Amino acid sequence: MSATRLPGTPRLLRALNDRAALELLLERGPLTRARIGELTGLSKVTASQLVERLEERGLVARVGEQAGGRGPNAQLYAVRPSSAYVVGVDVGAERVVAACADITGAVLGRVEQSTRDTDDPVGVVHNAVVRAASSAGAELSAVRRVVLGTPGLVDPQTGDITFAFNLPRWHSGLLAALREDLDTPVVFENDVNLAAVAEAQSGAARDTADFVLVWVDAGVGLAIVLGGRLHHGSSGAAGEIGYLPVPGVPIPRDVSRRAKPAFQQLAGADAVRAVAAEHGFATPDSAEQGVAAARAAEAVGAAIAAGDAGGPVLDELARRLALGVASTCVVLDPPLVVLAGAVGRAGGAALAERVQQEVAAITLVRPRVVSTGLTEEPILRGALRTALDAVRDEVFGSTVG
């Protein structure tokens, strides 16, 4: 058996070394050949051969020189940004936002497009992706992956979205239509899951392998990260905390209908605004989800600014949110809970600390509860990161012929 594996060993080692060098160039580049050798533990000869191999494949390029001691200046190398591009898309009820990044992660183009005046989701996504790529100076053929963050469930078998009630024109079969239209890999992912990806990358959950993210916005949602990976569940429904049956509100018996689920009735944007209004922090009504979430966040912000007078608002919201957080944590027992979404972000440390205290008071678990560390477009950032991870695996993983 061992004899059959030997011929593949040098090729495998070259592939591993190439990938390690590319990751180093992404994180710490530009670098000289000598520095790549030092950081990877490779000899100067092997490091030089590695760089030549990557340069021939168009993955790295010379970007300058580094003056040294005697002799000629050393060439500096970096990952060639144009070797691949990705597009992330944040799909909302009223608009889509698309951004294009190169393989280094640099975001080069961003566009917004309204969805109010169209019943053609393929056309909306097509236009957004093409415009984002164009604004980044990339041909559509150079876009290696498109990741769309949407509300609802993503079917693990088909990859299509279901139960996206606020996207009534998004239907089964849409994924195949988008892939055919764009002629590139297209992936749907739940929007709250993508927010958790972004939080793990550069937010409050950095360097944390196990955590949950509670999304408090127009509705409520949950993302579960275990061992550094998203947990989707067998049907893709893991984290649909809005459907948690809680006392004190009606519990719908038919989830196929658009009746508001129980925990969402208790802790969604409408409930947040109602609690705030009871204590003198009323905001105008709005039927638009994005506006409703912003108004709820505004009310929470006003309560915090009011000091002691706003304390009862935060206390009641914490009590409600703790029911969902506690129900999750007694099953998963994560060390960290992140409050995100418009309301979670607006509540900041004041709301997070109250939720932490309330969870500790009613359960045996004591997770640390913090507010999101991100301020802008976490769903879009998570979509880009998810796309980049996949494309880097494809591009960097095929460095040896």
Side-chain angles (χ1 to χ4, degrees):
M1 279 181 68
S2 60
T4 62
R5 292 178 180 176
L6 286 175
T9 300
R11 182 177 182 273
L12 175 61
L13 289 175
R14 286 196 300 272
L16 293 173
N17 290 337
D18 289 356
R19 179 64 185 260
L22 288 165
E23 294 289 353
L24 279 170
L25 287 169
L26 282 175
E27 296 172 8
R28 305 177 64 170
L31 299 171
T32 64
R33 296 187 184 202
R35 185 61 176 151
I36 291 172
E38 291 173 6
L39 293 172
T40 57
L42 299 174
S43 69
K44 290 183 179 180
V45 172
T46 302
S48 292
Q49 293 173 340
L50 178 153
V51 171
E52 289 174 4
R53 190 162 58 243
L54 296 180
E55 196 173 13
E56 288 174 359
R57 292 180 174 270
L59 295 178
V60 304
R62 303 179 192 187
V63 295
E65 296 181 344
Q66 183 179 78
R70 298 176 181 177
N73 292 341
Q75 297 288 328
L76 285 167
Y77 295 86
V79 172
R80 189 165 67 88
S82 59
S83 56
Y85 295 88
V86 300
V87 173
V89 185
D90 177 3
V91 180
E94 287 90 28
R95 64 168 189 163
V96 298
V97 182
C100 181
D102 63 36
I103 199 167
T104 71
V107 178
L108 305 175
R110 180 188 178 283
V111 299
E112 294 186 25
Q113 183 169 329
S114 172
T115 59
R116 295 178 183 174
D117 301 324
T118 179
D119 58 358
D120 177 18
V122 173
V124 168
V125 174
H126 175 93
N127 290 337
V129 170
V130 169
R131 288 174 57 209
S134 178
S135 66
E139 298 289 336
L140 186 59
S141 59
V143 175
R144 297 285 295 261
R145 181 167 292 244
V146 177
V147 173
L148 296 99
T150 75
L153 309 187
V154 178
D155 187 316
Q157 304 301 318
T158 67
D160 265 312
I161 56 171
T162 60
F163 289 95
F165 293 127
N166 51 345
L167 299 174
R169 299 179 183 88
W170 293 62
H171 51 78
S172 178
L174 181 58
L175 181 63
L178 286 170
R179 287 173 173 170
E180 181 178 0
D181 176 77
L182 294 170
D183 193 27
T184 197
V186 178
V187 176
F188 285 132
E189 180 57 275
N190 174 265
D191 50 4
V192 178
N193 283 344
L194 292 178
V197 170
E199 205 74 53
Q201 176 196 4
S202 55
R206 287 191 304 272
D207 303 319
T208 304
D210 300 335
F211 72 96
V212 297
L213 179 141
V214 181
W215 185 261
V216 193
D217 204 270
V220 288
L222 182 84
I224 303 166
V225 176
L226 299 175
R229 295 179 176 271
L230 285 169
H231 178 72
H232 294 87
S234 61
S235 65
E240 290 297 323
I241 198 173
Y243 289 90
L244 184 70
V246 290
V249 293
I251 299 176
R253 307 290 298 183
D254 186 355
V255 298
S256 66
R257 298 183 181 274
R258 298 190 63 176
K260 190 177 293 186
F263 189 59
Q264 184 167 326
Q265 295 176 53
L266 195 69
D270 291 342
V272 171
R273 290 176 56 249
V275 170
E278 288 176 5
H279 294 86
F281 300 95
T283 56
D285 291 333
S286 176
E288 295 182 10
Q289 289 195 349
V291 176
R295 295 271 168 79
E298 179 185 327
V300 171
I304 292 174
D308 291 345
V313 175
L314 300 177
D315 291 342
E316 177 59 18
L317 293 181
R319 185 190 69 78
R320 295 180 179 210
L321 288 172
L323 294 176
V325 173
S327 298
T328 301
C329 290
V330 293
V331 176
L332 299 175
D333 195 13
L336 178 68
V337 176
V338 180
L339 300 184
V343 174
R345 183 171 62 249
L351 180 60
E353 289 169 3
R354 284 171 166 83
V355 172
Q356 178 172 311
Q357 293 168 4
E358 185 67 17
V359 170
I362 63 176
T363 70
L364 296 174
V365 295
R366 295 176 177 270
R368 185 165 63 96
V369 182
V370 300
S371 181
T372 176
L374 304 175
T375 58
E376 294 182 354
E377 300 185 318
I379 297 168
L380 187 63
R381 292 170 68 167
L384 287 169
R385 179 67 184 196
T386 300
L388 281 168
D389 285 347
V391 168
R392 286 172 180 172
D393 281 343
E394 293 170 2
V395 174
F396 295 171
S398 60
T399 57
V400 177

